[in-house]
Amino acid sequence: MIRTPDEIAKMRKAGRVVAEIIEKTRAFVRPGVTTLQVDAVAREVIERRGARSNFLNYHGFPAVICTSPNDMIVHGIPGPYLVEEGDLLSVDCGAIVEGYHGDAAYTMAVGEVPPVARRLLEATEASLEAGIAELRPGGRLHDVGRAVQAVAEAAGFSVVRKYVGHAIGTEMHEDPQVPNYWPGTPGPRLKVGNVFAIEPMVNVGSPDTVELDDGWSVVTADGSLSAHFEHTIAVTDDGPEVLTRA
Ligand code: MG
Ligand code: MG
């Protein structure tokens, strides 16, 4: 799907709302807050900026963000969970402006965390940046996953296979998917106007995942820590433009 400059401009607006959700929720999270309170911070941003939530009611999802602590990889439901000193907390968030979507995620350390947790955050964020750098006109989509995987595995971690990135535009999840690993083929050729959400999920231990009984929360099968970073990025003549970065 090729987005026109006018459509990209709308996605830039959605991306700015998402960037503010990232900024405000990051500043709010501290020991003793609940993940439901973090969701309320995101709701305030969406409402104040006249945006809509793309998470709320998505297949029945009950909140505007996903909050996934520690060994939870993605899709955690905000609720009574009390954030603790030493936690890793992943926040996945999005917004719709004028019918166009933004989608991003980050994982943060709450206070002091073990060295392996710090290294996991650095490697996962670096893997996202390596993936973003592959989004140039004429490049191949699956080089994103090759780059993500190389960075994550060089740090001694593993990349989740079951959940992947995606194209994004008038829907949050559009085809094609964007694997965070080399799937064995180069994939589609990249064109100016393509927009993707790249979102590496990286585990300290094995890449295997388990879905909990709530029908949403996905955790690592071995209980190891996991991190998740995501941005929405447009392919432009000048290279990748990260739309969800402040
Ligand atoms: Mg997301
Ligand atoms: Mg996404």
Side-chain angles (χ1 to χ4, degrees):
M1 185 80 74
I2 304 295
R3 302 291 171 187
T4 65
D6 190 52
E7 290 181 292
I8 302 278
K10 290 174 180 170
M11 297 192 75
R12 206 173 275 128
K13 289 185 195 172
R16 282 196 208 108
V17 175
V18 176
E20 187 180 348
I21 296 171
I22 292 172
E23 182 198 331
K24 293 289 195 316
T25 55
R26 236 188 211 287
F28 177 78
V29 170
R30 61 188 181 279
V33 304
T34 67
T35 49
L36 195 60
Q37 288 176 298
V38 184
D39 184 70
V41 170
R43 271 177 208 256
E44 187 279 326
V45 175
I46 290 169
E47 282 166 22
R48 174 167 42 78
R49 299 193 56 146
R52 288 197 299 124
S53 173
N54 38 10
F55 284 44
L56 185 65
N57 298 323
Y58 181 87
H59 297 281
F61 192 77
V64 303
I65 61 173
C66 301
T67 49
S68 307
N70 299 321
D71 65 334
M72 195 174 287
I73 304 167
V74 284
H75 303 165
I77 303 171
Y81 180 83
L82 277 171
V83 175
E84 283 181 38
E85 170 83 18
D87 275 354
L88 289 187
L89 184 68
S90 297
V91 173
D92 196 343
C93 55
I96 309 170
V97 173
E98 295 173 40
Y100 289 83
H101 290 244
D103 184 14
Y106 66 91
T107 303
M108 64 179 283
V110 181
E112 287 298 311
V113 297
V116 68
R118 181 64 58 190
R119 285 194 288 112
L120 177 68
L121 294 187
E122 287 168 3
T124 309
E125 194 162 20
S127 77
L128 171 58
E129 294 304 324
I132 290 171
E134 296 294 331
L135 290 180
R136 325 172 235 91
R140 303 298 288 253
L141 184 61
H142 292 174
D143 282 334
V144 170
R146 185 187 44 71
V148 165
Q149 182 178 19
V151 171
E153 292 183 355
F157 303 128
S158 72
V159 168
V160 170
R161 304 296 202 275
K162 181 154 185 198
Y163 304 90
V164 295
H166 48 93
I168 180 168
T170 52
E171 302 288 338
M172 181 159 58
H173 295 136
E174 297 183 351
D175 288 333
Q177 295 190 335
V178 185
N180 295 306
Y181 54 92
W182 174 250
T185 59
R189 201 169 283 287
L190 298 169
K191 297 192 175 77
V192 171
N194 289 153
V195 186
F196 300 102
I198 302 180
E199 51 179 313
M201 288 146 261
V202 177
N203 298 349
V204 167
S206 98
D208 298 337
T209 65
V210 173
E211 192 185 293
L212 300 186
D213 288 340
D214 63 18
W216 285 102
S217 308
V218 176
V219 299
T220 58
D222 61 7
S224 67
L225 290 173
S226 186
H228 179 208
F229 284 85
E230 177 180 26
H231 273 303
T232 297
I233 306 112
V235 179
T236 79
D237 280 317
D238 302 325
E241 178 186 349
V242 181
L243 303 176
T244 44
R245 185 130 59 202

